[in-house]
Amino acid sequence: ARRVPPGPPKTHRFPGPTIQHGMSSRGPSGPRTVGTDGSDHQFRQTVDTKYKKASIARKSLKKTLTSLMVYYPVCAAFAIGPSLVLGHELDTSNLPFAVLAVFGLLCSIASYTATNAKTFHAKNLKARTNALALLGAANLLAATVARFTVDEDKRLAWVFAELVSTKVFVSLTPGQVYPFAVSMELLVEMIGVIVPLGNVALAHALATYAGGKGD
């Protein structure tokens, strides 16, 4: 009988690691590891909603405080600027409003500094924004009293109308400009109340969401 030569020795195969291809896609370095196909999104770190709201409140408060830092110098200029240009005396009919505007400007700067500080002090910020609201109310009250107690030719709106009619529109009389000046004065006074009240609400929201010291 013809002898058959023996074949190659038998080898045993052991199961190796299995790579799952299912929903995952291949990247530049090969198959993606199981569990990184986006199915673990619910376990990933997310920014807390209250910190987002605190960031929004901080940005809004800084914007309104910046607008007040422009507003108060305008108020001071409206109070004493026309009298200085026309050579009128500074007295109780105009000077107190300029002083209130200066205090408002300083308080706005202090509030902005407190809002922008790395270490947030909620109690200080609330106190400063409340002071701004009180200044706005005081200015409105003082202006209302002045309309009934100060002589018409010394009122802020009349002096402003006199300035416009003599230095800008010479063809107009102070009496023609006066209604517009009164309307503008009322608008400025209302802004000085509404915006600070908005700052109080924003400061409260920031203290609630940010959880600063002294809240």
Side-chain angles (χ1 to χ4, degrees), residues 9-32:
K10 294 183 178 181
T11 58
H12 298 280
R13 295 184 178 181
F14 295 93
T18 302
I19 298 176
Q20 181 177 347
H21 296 281
M23 296 294 292
S24 61
S25 60
R26 292 177 178 269
S29 58
R32 180 184 294 173

Side-chain angles (χ1 to χ4, degrees), residues 60-123:
S60 300
L61 184 55
K62 288 170 67 175
K63 289 180 181 179
T64 55
L65 289 172
T66 301
S67 67
L68 286 180
M69 286 188 280
V70 177
Y71 165 80
Y72 285 113
V74 171
C75 290
F78 181 80
I80 62 176
S83 296
L84 292 175
V85 173
L86 295 174
H88 296 174
E89 293 183 359
L90 298 181
D91 51 25
T92 56
S93 64
N94 47 40
L95 194 56
F97 297 100
V99 173
L100 285 174
V102 171
F103 276 111
L105 176 61
L106 295 176
C107 196
S108 298
I109 295 173
S111 299
Y112 187 93
T113 303
T115 305
N116 205 37
K118 293 182 179 180
T119 303
F120 177 63
H121 295 272
K123 187 176 181 179

Side-chain angles (χ1 to χ4, degrees), residues 5 32 36 52 90 111 122 127 136 150-151 162 164 167 181 191:
R32 180 184 294 173
T36 59
K52 293 181 180 179
L90 298 181
S111 299
V150 176
D151 295 336
E162 188 178 356
V164 172
K167 301 295 183 179
I191 291 174

